Amino acid sequence: FEPQIRQIVEDEDMPQGDERQTLMFSATFPKEIQKLAQDFLQDYIFLQVGRVGSTTDSITQRVIQVDERDKKEALVDLLDQIQGLTLI
């Protein structure tokens, strides 16, 4: 995983770090990936929910299949149904 990310960011025709916005998300975010994020992200912020490398019962993951043209509307509908804070 790490070599592929490094190749994309360092060797491909991507703008330099100060000319792009890069976000990284990971369900587990092990130490190696945290280091990778620090290498490539400016103003690196690490947001942790639960314990790194383990699961937590405070997160619910759902997979909902929708047609490409209906994705935005489906997301807005789901967000309207949720009470409290939501992180996307």
Side-chain angles (χ1 to χ4, degrees):
F1 173 75
E2 180 183 351
Q4 291 86 357
I5 298 297
R6 286 195 182 278
Q7 179 181 2
I8 291 168
V9 174
E10 294 174 344
D11 299 335
E12 300 299 323
D13 192 21
M14 287 187 69
Q16 294 299 312
D18 59 345
E19 298 175 6
R20 70 173 189 266
Q21 180 179 15
T22 305
L23 305 171
M24 293 182 72
F25 299 92
S26 173
T28 54
F29 233 70
K31 292 283 185 198
E32 302 81 27
I33 302 305
Q34 291 179 41
K35 172 69 173 114
L36 181 72
Q38 290 174 2
D39 289 348
F40 293 122
L41 304 179
Q42 294 187 12
D43 300 324
Y44 171 74
I45 296 173
F46 179 72
L47 174 65
Q48 175 181 324
V49 176
R51 290 188 323 245
V52 173
S54 67
T55 61
T56 178
D57 58 2
S58 64
I59 297 175
T60 302
Q61 179 176 332
R62 289 187 249 165
V63 177
I64 301 170
Q65 186 171 349
V66 296
D67 289 333
E68 183 73 30
R69 67 181 182 273
D70 298 327
K71 284 184 179 183
K72 184 175 180 180
E73 182 180 350
L75 175 61
V76 171
D77 289 345
L78 287 171
L79 291 174
D80 286 342
Q81 295 172 22
I82 297 172
Q83 295 180 359
L85 300 174
T86 302
L87 176 65
I88 299 177

